[in-house]
Amino acid sequence: MTATTLVFLGAVRTGSDVHGDTTALAVRDGRILALGDDARTFVPTADEVVDIGDGLLMAAFGDGHAHPLFGGLESFGPQIKELGSVAAIAAEVGRWATEHPEAEWIVGASYDPALAPDGEFDARWLDAAVPDRPVVLRAHDYHTVWCNTAALRRAGVTEATPEPRLGWIVRRPDGSPMGTLREWHACDLVLDQVPSRPMDDLVEAVRRAGHAYARAGITWVQDAWVEPEMADAYLCAARRDALTVRVDLAQRADPDRWLDQLGPFADTRARVAADGGELLTARTVKFFSDGVIEGGTAALLAPYLDAPHSCGMPVWEPAALVEAVQAFDAARFQTHIHAIGDAGVRASLDAIESAIRANPAWDRRPVITHVQLVDPADLPRFAALGVIANFEPLWAQPDPLQTELSVPRIGADRADLQYPMGELARDGVRLSFGSDWPVSSHIPLEGIQVAVTRRTFDGEPRGGWIPRQRLTAEEALTAATTGVAHQAGADDRLHLTPGAPADLVLLSADPRAGDPMEIRHARVLGTWLGGRATHRARPPEPSGDRSADPTYAS
């Protein structure tokens, strides 16, 4: 990607047991040329020499589970992500609607479901801000929507609307829809009415997402929820040279029509391979095994404490998941399964095990993502089946989502089993890290800090939340780099060794040194994709200036 020679001088983490840490790294033609003293010999003829100073050069981060297109699109609507009250959200929605009188629908995302009791939001709270146009907002878990009365009316959702097979319509005591819809079929009642965005908007969303990732030190992302029009947007972005990060597209398998998807998914994979350039692939299929604990839709082995009649909402019947995973595995698609509850995790492991037994051996590298609640009996199965455990480490802290929604629903005993990173690492399981952005922050250093400390950013609890599940800083960095590269099938990017692609990040400090509670404060000074700089640090923007937010970077 570049014909220049670049030499870095200072602390280099190769991530390799053979090379360990070293003191220099040279790059030529987009690949690592030499390490240590051998790299220093290229200083006199280098096009650029970078002084690492007190920082650390290492393999660029990967994001093993995210939704880049959704993240980029969030910047097009009202900005509700960081707002701390229902009133503030309604005010922002009203402001945006006033500034955009041409918008037929007001669409936003990532409100905090902990802001209302039981995560149930009333349409009338939005009616007060926008009574005359439909409003639909996604919760930050993207498994729930909050809409106003106009949106419910446009979708034809009334007290007479039956409960969908996969989803719940939250209702008032009189049976009328409250304004909160949970899971696929319920959310789609309204979301299917929203007009499609033009291709230019989708490409711009991909571009904005790429800037966000570059500023965070990321060079590879698993887009973990791709519909057909989204694949077209990525291909268009590739043709327009709007991609600044490597992306693999995970096409979503639908339990109602997966047999009809087998051929089109293979066609999309071939089309992306032919037209997507070197940055884009489509080799993965995404399955949703269940929902989320905070919404009461994660599939549990025993009932919810606050809903003794319910064990959640499996998206697939176990036998159907087995059949579908076997079929896509036979077609040589990597399996990537969302599993939150202990029953969802067990069903996912069962499906992967069935595919291994039914199909010829190949380099399948199956992934179970989130891995929030795991029955202890199922932990050894990850290593036995070669399953990659993809964690979103930022979630492994006692934040309000845990303390106000999740723990009351599952109780203290099951809560103590959540996010078993340490146990799986000790079992030799391959861990990879993701963010689920825009569900939560895409910045790897924030998740790495939580993985190491199991504490909130305010430092609670002092001894760490479920401290036996903590990782060392070295283990966490490996999960965010080598672990994700293994998930990506990128064996040439597992470590910084001569001949490897020069996907690099330069940090202002070594996350392995100093106070673990300071890890997230290290700055990303530069990111290189195949030797080409996709981000170089600039002075921080003034507080309150939106251009400081990578989502808005130009």
Side-chain angles (χ1 to χ4, degrees):
M1 297 176 69
T2 175
T4 59
T5 300
L6 179 62
V7 179
F8 296 87
L9 299 177
V12 179
R13 177 187 182 272
T14 70
S16 163
D17 292 338
V18 174
H19 298 286
D21 286 4
T22 187
T23 59
L25 181 145
V27 175
R28 179 181 291 164
D29 296 336
R31 292 189 174 269
I32 296 170
L33 179 62
L35 300 171
D37 290 341
D38 291 341
R40 290 177 181 274
T41 64
F42 294 97
V43 168
T45 58
D47 298 281
E48 182 181 3
V49 176
V50 178
D51 182 0
I52 295 172
D54 295 328
L56 178 71
L57 184 75
M58 54 180 281
F61 298 117
D63 191 329
H65 182 100
H67 309 288
L69 194 53
F70 293 157
L73 285 173
E74 283 196 3
S75 64
F76 285 74
Q79 299 304 293
I80 62 175
K81 191 182 188 81
E82 303 298 332
L83 300 182
S85 70
V86 168
I89 293 171
E92 167 62 10
V93 169
R95 179 203 65 78
W96 193 92
T98 299
E99 291 185 0
H100 297 82
E102 78 291 349
E104 179 185 356
W105 281 71
I106 291 86
V107 180
S110 287
Y111 70 85
D112 182 354
L115 295 177
D118 298 321
E120 297 178 353
F121 290 70
D122 200 303
R124 293 173 293 198
W125 301 340
L126 291 174
D127 294 345
V130 184
D132 57 339
R133 281 183 285 169
V135 178
V136 58
L137 308 176
R138 291 184 186 266
H140 69 49
D141 60 17
Y142 272 64
H143 286 256
T144 304
V145 300
W146 171 26
C147 46
N148 70 349
T149 300
L152 292 171
R153 188 178 300 120
R154 185 75 66 91
V157 179
T158 70
E159 63 275 6
T161 303
E163 291 297 314
R165 184 176 68 81
L166 291 176
W168 295 333
I169 301 170
V170 177
R171 300 178 188 271
R172 302 187 181 99
D174 65 1
S176 62
M178 178 184 247
T180 299
L181 308 172
R182 300 195 190 281
E183 296 299 344
W184 294 99
H185 294 169
C187 294
D188 287 348
L189 292 172
V190 170
L191 293 175
D192 284 349
Q193 308 304 313
V194 179
S196 299
R197 286 197 173 272
M199 183 58 67
D200 285 349
D201 283 1
L202 299 179
V203 172
E204 176 61 15
V206 170
R207 189 191 69 81
R208 293 185 187 189
H211 276 283
Y213 282 121
R215 289 168 64 99
I218 295 169
T219 59
W220 184 86
V221 181
Q222 176 69 73
D223 189 319
W225 178 358
V226 173
E227 305 292 349
E229 67 277 8
M230 298 165 68
D232 291 336
Y234 276 110
L235 283 167
C236 188
R239 287 193 297 270
R240 297 183 188 180
D241 198 26
L243 280 177
T244 54
V245 64
R246 305 180 196 273
V247 184
D248 181 64
L249 309 181
Q251 301 176 80
R252 180 182 69 89
D254 188 318
D256 293 332
R257 56 189 180 92
W258 68 268
L259 279 169
D260 295 331
Q261 292 177 312
L262 279 163
F265 280 15
D267 292 343
T268 296
R269 177 174 58 185
R271 188 158 53 99
V272 169
D275 301 330
E278 63 180 50
L279 299 182
L280 196 61
T281 58
R283 57 185 188 82
T284 305
V285 171
K286 166 69 174 294
F287 301 84
F288 281 88
S289 177
D290 62 356
V292 292
I293 290 174
E294 62 268 20
T297 57
L300 303 184
L301 294 172
Y304 283 86
L305 293 185
D306 62 338
H309 61 284
S310 174
C311 287
M313 183 182 294
V315 176
W316 296 72
E317 291 297 326
L321 183 61
V322 164
E323 186 180 2
V325 169
Q326 283 185 6
F328 283 107
D329 178 85
R332 300 296 179 95
F333 280 102
Q334 184 182 28
T335 297
H336 190 108
I337 309 179
H338 161 119
I340 293 281
D342 47 9
V345 171
R346 180 168 294 175
S348 302
L349 289 166
D350 289 347
I352 291 168
E353 184 173 8
S354 73
I356 292 171
R357 289 177 174 175
N359 297 330
W362 67 284
D363 189 10
R364 47 177 49 91
R365 306 192 191 193
V367 177
I368 297 179
T369 185
H370 307 323
V371 198
Q372 182 169 345
L373 178 61
V374 186
D375 187 277
D378 287 322
L379 288 171
R381 300 179 67 192
F382 281 82
L385 297 173
V387 173
I388 298 165
N390 174 260
F391 287 100
E392 285 54 60
L394 190 62
W395 301 355
Q397 57 174 302
D399 59 9
L401 199 66
Q402 276 290 328
T403 59
E404 297 177 25
L405 292 178
S406 294
V407 174
R409 287 190 163 137
I410 60 175
D413 289 343
R414 283 185 289 186
D416 193 49
L417 301 175
Q418 293 182 94
Y419 304 116
M421 301 179 211
E423 286 182 78
L424 289 176
R426 290 188 288 274
D427 285 347
V429 175
R430 293 264 195 174
L431 306 187
S432 72
F433 279 175
S435 68
D436 211 11
W437 184 63
V439 171
S440 51
S441 171
H442 65 290
I443 299 173
L445 289 169
E446 294 182 2
I448 288 169
Q449 177 174 313
V450 173
V452 173
T453 65
R454 303 283 290 213
R455 299 167 71 182
T456 68
F457 291 160
D458 293 331
E460 298 298 329
R462 188 173 183 84
W465 181 64
I466 321 177
R468 69 182 184 278
Q469 303 298 357
R470 289 180 299 202
L471 299 179
T472 67
E474 188 68 47
E475 289 173 328
L477 288 175
T478 296
T481 55
T482 301
V484 181
H486 174 74
Q487 176 185 323
D491 290 348
D492 61 344
R493 298 201 301 273
L494 294 175
H495 312 293
L496 299 185
T497 57
D503 286 11
L504 309 168
V505 61
L506 176 58
L507 303 178
S508 64
D510 187 339
R512 302 168 298 180
D515 183 356
M517 288 297 294
E518 297 295 317
I519 288 174
R520 67 190 173 98
H521 296 301
R523 293 184 64 212
V524 174
L525 301 179
T527 306
W528 289 263
L529 173 68
R532 176 173 60 90
T534 56
H535 166 67
R536 301 296 288 267
R538 58 188 180 187
E541 301 285 351
S543 178
D545 184 343
R546 269 188 176 164
S547 63
D549 183 335
T551 302
Y552 294 89
S554 61

